[in-house]
Amino acid sequence: MSGSHSSANSIPFLDLVTPHVELEQELTEVFQKALRTAGFIGGPMVEDFEKAFAAFCEASYSVAISSGTDALRFALMACGVKSGDVVVTVPHTFIATTEAISQAGALPEFVDIDEQTYNMDPAKLVEYLERQCTVNDAGALISRRSGRPVTAIVPVHLYGQMADMDAILELAERYRLVVIEDACQAHGAEYFSRKRNRWMKAGSMGRAAAFSFYPGKNLGACGEAGAATTNDAAIAKTMKMLRDHGQATKYYHDMEGYNGRLDSIQAGLLHVKLNHLAKWNAQRRERAAEYNRLLKSADGAVVCPYEGLRSRAIYHLYVVRTADREGLMEHLKTAGIGSGIHYPIPLHLQKAYAAMNYRKGDFPVTEKTAAEIVSLPMFPQLTAAQQGRVVEEILNFTSMTARKQVEADAGTLTSADRRA
Ligand SMILES: *Cc1c(COP(=O)(O)O)cnc(C)c1O
């Protein structure tokens, strides 16, 4: 990951330098405190951050963990996902989602996404549960594809946009499945639960949830970091043991665990930055609203993110879709504007998962989405002027493409006329 600072005319995809320069004094004090107490592992810096992060997520407990990937793995394991189980998720996500499932000993199986939200489509989940599973004599739900028991669902709140949790939780209840949220891109995103009749935060709705504090995330460490949240004391306790060699008391190992702790310096740095997260998220929402407004001039050549009435997204990424994605990215690059693709190859078509025997065409919405999406510059410090330039270049490109299309159509017509 590069933390490239914006030079005179270029606009970075992400500016990680400015927020750290702004907070340099406070962040440096964290290092000094750790150095002077040699409090590097565990201790009050970790515990204070955990309390503050749980409060931010409106969850009862948070457990600081070495990465988002490990947080998701420990959350799955603590929620009872066992070796040989099937865990249902989406193919349109970062591979860490399925790595965590595999590393918990389970097998990921996919359902397609919704074409507006890019998150798990509850209708596809119903179809999977009804048509691609059977119930065996013991009453267990068995996947026809793998012959294994389906025990959990991992919805991913991709780009900081909430998955449709009411529908997913209701299906989970009906089929007695546990729901573990992949909230690695959704620190502070909110969803209006009809069932509870109130707004709820990402990470407070599933049995447990995982967050990543990779530097580029909305809340990022100065290194690797993650956390899991839950409202269940027993699950929190198990996750704490899993991250620390299966011990609650030093050298009394109730099970085998991992070395998955978060170090104290990162926890301290995260605590400083957490105090700014609500403001940063609000700034991202303002930038997103401004992109939406400005991009109306593209006359539908660029499709903006969809945010339902029951969702308050925190725009970890601002993702648009357009027919000639490669052309647009090339144009932006020439203009000195950063962009990205999240993600270009759906998981079911990755080489790593060739043995799963999924084929092209299995998840058409994911495949079409992956071919058309592009992530535009998005970070709290993005200025209105920078944003204006990004959109100006997008409009230059779309009008140029439209003009070429008109010329090409006219050309076809002329030769057709000539033939007639
Ligand atoms: C970043 C991310 C992860 C993994 O987090 P790490 O901290 O990098 O291990 C998992 N899932 C999603 C959707 C992510 O974006």
Side-chain angles (χ1 to χ4, degrees):
M1 136 126 0
S2 80
S4 67
H5 208 40
S6 51
S7 67
N9 243 329
S10 69
I11 301 170
F13 174 64
L14 173 65
D15 174 10
L16 281 181
V17 175
T18 305
H20 293 102
V21 170
E22 281 171 8
L23 299 175
E24 192 170 305
Q25 177 75 28
E26 270 182 281
L27 295 172
T28 310
E29 279 163 17
V30 171
F31 277 104
Q32 282 171 347
K33 192 169 157 192
L35 290 177
R36 288 169 190 175
T37 58
F40 298 127
I41 304 292
M45 267 156 79
V46 173
E47 285 158 23
D48 291 350
F49 170 66
E50 287 178 334
K51 285 202 190 86
F53 190 66
F56 178 85
C57 296
E58 294 167 8
S60 307
Y61 307 93
S62 124
V63 178
I65 292 166
S66 52
S67 70
T69 310
D70 274 357
L72 187 54
R73 172 166 49 146
F74 300 163
L76 286 159
M77 295 173 85
C79 289
V81 169
K82 299 176 307 299
S83 177
D85 288 0
V86 166
V87 176
V88 186
T89 191
V90 286
H92 185 61
T93 177
F94 181 51
I95 193 170
T97 308
T98 45
E99 283 174 332
I101 292 168
S102 304
Q103 289 162 10
L107 179 74
E109 286 190 5
F110 299 118
V111 298
D112 211 346
I113 56 168
D114 175 89
E115 66 184 330
Q116 281 190 299
T117 65
Y118 309 136
N119 279 326
M120 182 178 281
D121 183 344
K124 305 279 172 48
L125 182 59
V126 171
E127 194 181 289
Y128 171 89
L129 295 168
E130 285 180 356
R131 304 225 198 110
Q132 296 179 49
C133 294
T134 56
V135 177
N136 72 7
D137 294 342
L141 187 70
I142 304 293
S143 156
R144 288 183 201 271
R145 168 166 241 285
S146 58
R148 300 194 195 188
V150 181
T151 58
I153 306 169
V154 175
V156 183
H157 307 313
L158 204 68
Y159 310 150
Q161 171 99 250
M162 294 292 291
D164 189 355
M165 291 301 286
D166 275 351
I168 293 166
L169 287 167
E170 193 188 310
L171 284 165
E173 202 176 299
R174 193 185 311 159
Y175 285 88
R176 284 178 291 148
L177 304 172
V178 3
V179 174
I180 295 110
E181 300 166 70
D182 182 339
C184 284
Q185 300 189 0
H187 326 66
E190 290 177 281
Y191 176 85
F192 188 83
S193 164
R194 285 205 184 106
K195 198 169 167 191
R196 311 269 188 98
N197 197 34
R198 65 180 173 92
W199 287 93
M200 295 187 77
K201 290 269 185 81
S204 70
M205 304 187 74
R207 186 78 59 82
F211 290 86
S212 166
F213 306 124
Y214 186 75
K217 302 289 164 87
N218 288 33
L219 178 60
C222 303
E224 301 281 356
T229 52
T230 182
N231 294 319
D232 183 317
I235 289 172
K237 184 168 180 242
T238 306
M239 294 193 297
K240 281 188 178 172
M241 289 173 71
L242 283 167
R243 78 173 170 188
D244 192 21
H245 303 291
Q247 61 189 357
T249 307
K250 205 165 176 67
Y251 304 131
Y252 288 75
H253 307 277
D254 295 358
M255 58 187 172
E256 272 196 358
Y258 299 82
N259 179 350
R261 298 173 301 252
L262 175 67
D263 43 272
S264 316
I265 290 175
Q266 294 302 339
L269 298 170
L270 284 164
H271 203 159
V272 168
K273 294 178 76 179
L274 178 60
N275 295 326
H276 301 268
L277 182 56
K279 174 191 68 194
W280 287 334
N281 281 346
Q283 288 172 325
R284 284 174 185 266
R285 286 181 57 77
E286 280 169 27
R287 292 299 115 214
E290 183 65 1
Y291 266 136
N292 292 347
R293 192 180 69 79
L294 295 170
L295 284 167
K296 285 207 178 90
S297 311
D299 284 334
V302 172
V303 179
C304 293
Y306 171 84
E307 195 180 322
L309 288 173
R310 297 166 63 205
S311 177
R312 282 192 201 125
I314 47 102
Y315 295 95
H316 169 57
L317 295 167
Y318 184 87
V319 177
V320 299
R321 58 197 294 172
T322 190
D324 183 8
R325 183 260 309 277
E326 315 302 335
L328 176 60
M329 288 183 79
E330 194 53 41
H331 180 88
L332 291 176
K333 192 176 166 199
T334 309
I337 297 168
S339 64
I341 306 173
H342 302 87
Y343 299 88
I345 314 288
L347 292 183
H348 68 286
L349 301 176
Q350 292 281 359
K351 205 194 263 180
Y353 294 129
M356 285 187 188
N357 288 314
Y358 282 111
R359 281 186 310 269
K360 209 172 163 136
D362 281 348
F363 304 101
V365 182
T366 288
E367 290 167 28
K368 186 166 193 297
T369 301
E372 294 182 351
I373 45 174
V374 47
S375 310
L376 302 181
M378 171 53 81
F379 46 91
Q381 297 79 14
L382 184 70
T383 66
Q386 286 177 315
Q387 212 178 5
R389 249 203 75 213
V390 173
V391 174
E392 191 183 307
E393 289 299 344
I394 292 173
L395 297 179
N396 282 346
F397 178 77
T398 53
S399 57
M400 184 177 76
T401 313
R403 211 163 47 235
K404 277 185 187 159
Q405 190 58 50
V406 170
E407 282 165 18
D409 290 351
T412 323
L413 209 78
T414 325
S415 52
D417 287 347
R418 248 183 255 122
R419 272 201 300 278

